[in-house]
Amino acid sequence: MADWREDRVGAAERGENPMVLTRMRSGFAVIGDTQFLPGYCLLLAAPRVDHLSDLPMKPRTEFLLDMSLLGEAIEAACRSQGLVRVNYEILGNREPFLHAHVWPRYDWEPEEYRSGPVGRYTHEYRTDEQYRYSDAAHEELRARITVELLDLMDRTSRSIR
C-alpha cells in the first residue's frame, strides 16, 4: 500500500490522510507535517489542479476564500500564543499541484526571521524531528483550529447564500 504522503489529495479524498482538519468547498484543510510555527496549515485544492489559473473563476474565488478562512481560524486559535500575523503562500515549486501554505507568525520568533518569509528558516530547522506533528503535542491546537474553521465556514455559507 502506498504512503498517503505520495498523493495527499487522493489520500484525503479516500479518507486516508490523517492530517485533514476538514473538507472545504475548494479542497482540504490540513495541519502541517511540521509545527515549528504552531498552527501551520495548508489548503490542498480538490480536485487536483496544477495552478490557480487552471481553475475557472468561481472555484478560484472559492479557493482564495477558503484560504482566508483557514487563516482566520488559525488567528483565532493561536492568538493567545503570541500570534502577530498570518502569512499566506502559494508556491507549487516542490509539490507541483495547487496548495496554499498558511503560516502563523509569532512575537517570540527570532528577530532575523520574524520580519521575512518563512523560507528564511533553514530547511534543517523547519524539518527537525522535534517539530514533527504528533497528536500528543498538537492535538489540542489542531482541535481549536478545526472548531474555529467549522464555525467560520458555517457563518460564511449563511452570509453568501
Side-chain angles (χ1 to χ4, degrees):
M1 180 178 200
D3 187 308
W4 62 269
R5 290 173 196 86
E6 293 174 15
D7 179 9
R8 291 172 186 267
V9 175
E13 290 171 331
R14 293 187 304 276
E16 299 169 0
N17 183 332
M19 307 307 273
V20 170
L21 302 173
T22 192
R23 177 73 158 100
M24 300 184 78
R25 279 181 301 270
S26 66
F28 294 92
V30 299
I31 193 152
D33 295 355
T34 183
Q35 291 292 304
F36 74 96
L37 293 173
Y40 163 57
C41 293
L42 299 94
L43 176 60
L44 310 177
R48 186 176 165 146
V49 296
D50 290 339
H51 307 281
L52 183 63
S53 58
D54 290 340
L55 292 173
M57 198 53 62
K58 185 173 189 294
R60 186 185 310 185
T61 302
E62 288 173 344
F63 182 84
L64 295 171
L65 175 60
D66 285 350
M67 180 181 68
S68 75
L69 294 176
L70 181 54
E72 191 172 344
I74 292 168
E75 281 181 40
C78 298
R79 194 169 288 121
S80 66
Q81 298 177 352
L83 181 112
V84 293
R85 158 169 308 313
V86 172
N87 290 167
Y88 301 86
E89 293 180 322
I90 299 175
L91 303 171
N93 299 328
R94 192 163 27 142
E95 299 286 341
F97 62 90
L98 178 59
H99 62 285
H101 300 266
V102 186
W103 296 101
R105 302 306 301 268
Y106 295 98
D107 58 8
W108 48 258
E109 291 180 67
E111 181 60 41
E112 65 270 22
Y113 297 114
R114 188 179 326 141
S115 62
V118 171
R120 292 179 60 196
Y121 283 94
T122 66
H123 177 75
E124 294 74 27
Y125 181 84
R126 293 189 317 255
T127 59
D128 190 294
E129 193 61 34
Q130 70 177 318
Y131 301 118
R132 175 133 326 267
Y133 174 86
S134 73
D135 285 339
H138 305 104
E139 184 59 34
E140 183 181 321
L141 177 57
R142 176 185 181 149
R144 285 197 319 264
I145 294 168
T146 302
V147 165
E148 294 289 346
L149 183 55
L150 291 171
D151 181 59
L152 284 165
M153 289 169 54
D154 181 56
R155 287 189 283 136
T156 301
S157 70
R158 284 183 282 146
S159 72
I160 58 176
R161 281 186 206 159

